[in-house]
Amino acid sequence: MTDPDTGPAGRSDGETAPLSAIRLNVNDQVRRLEVDPRTSLLDALREHLRLSGTKKGCDHGQCGACTVLVNGRRVNSCLSLAVMHEDDEIVTIEGLGDPDHLHPMQRAFVENDGFQCGYCTPGQICSAVGMLAEVEAGWPSHATTDVAVPRIALTDEEIRERMSGNICRCAAYPNIVAAIRGTAEGGTR
């Protein structure tokens, strides 16, 4: 039986959870925060660290707008708690490059018009960078035709499958694929 005056964790409606002191390594800077232990990595980045490039889309891990790199791997930051990432290396779109020194993937998105409204673009770019690292490591996908070969052929189908967790509501997909292909082939330096 539950008390109608208490919330889900036995706390009254006005009571908050004790804060957790954490250290996050974000874009090569150690940042100290005190957050509710239920704070998502996305909310820690956006609300506490004011890194607004990472977007809140669906908040359910289905759109990819919140994708960041954690220890080189792509992560939906809306599904991950900030307290889980103490001392991890977190890279957001702001950490990949800046207007004067774009990351090759950022440059490829610009050169190939791989964005329209731009809302999904930071997540798309972070996901693409992580995806190319997966390909380089030889990780197969559902679309990989021969998992025994040491080098995965990066076909358009392979790119689309690997990027399927990132939705673009403006349908810039052909340009996104072209940007990823160009970067993979070393076309943007």
Side-chain angles (χ1 to χ4, degrees):
M1 181 102 34
T2 61
D3 183 342
D5 294 330
T6 62
R11 291 186 291 270
S12 65
D13 290 336
E15 231 178 304
T16 60
L19 298 180
S20 295
I22 60 172
R23 246 183 27 237
L24 297 178
N25 181 353
V26 181
N27 301 330
D28 290 327
Q29 282 190 312
V30 175
R31 309 290 296 270
R32 297 180 193 292
L33 299 173
E34 285 193 6
V35 297
D36 182 306
R38 300 166 293 184
T39 302
S40 70
L41 179 57
L42 171 63
D43 288 338
L45 294 170
R46 288 186 59 81
E47 306 302 325
H48 295 271
L49 298 179
R50 302 291 185 231
L51 294 169
S52 59
T54 306
K55 302 296 190 246
K56 184 177 279 199
C58 66
D59 220 14
H60 295 287
Q62 297 175 343
C63 73
C66 67
T67 305
V68 298
L69 300 170
V70 176
N71 298 327
R73 296 185 66 183
R74 49 193 175 154
V75 168
N76 287 338
S77 62
C78 73
L79 296 180
S80 191
L81 297 175
V83 295
M84 297 168 51
H85 295 289
E86 186 142 19
D87 297 325
D88 285 346
E89 291 182 24
I90 302 163
V91 178
T92 67
I93 192 69
E94 293 92 347
L96 282 179
D98 61 58
D100 295 326
H101 302 95
L102 294 176
H103 183 279
M105 189 64 73
Q106 290 171 312
R107 191 173 315 111
F109 266 66
V110 170
E111 291 172 0
N112 289 280
D113 197 23
F115 56 90
Q116 290 190 18
C117 80
Y119 194 84
C120 73
T121 305
Q124 295 273 0
I125 291 172
C126 286
S127 187
V129 169
M131 182 268 293
L132 288 181
E134 293 166 9
V135 170
E136 187 65 31
W139 297 0
S141 79
H142 179 70
T144 305
T145 54
D146 186 355
V147 296
V149 297
R151 182 101 172 115
I152 295 170
L154 200 57
T155 64
D156 286 355
E157 181 182 1
E158 186 77 34
I159 293 171
R160 284 192 297 269
E161 169 62 27
R162 289 175 181 272
M163 293 295 293
S164 64
N166 290 80
I167 297 171
C168 174
R169 289 159 182 88
C170 299
Y173 296 116
N175 300 351
I176 291 168
V177 170
I180 294 168
R181 174 174 301 297
T183 303
E185 294 170 354
T188 40
R189 293 275 180 243

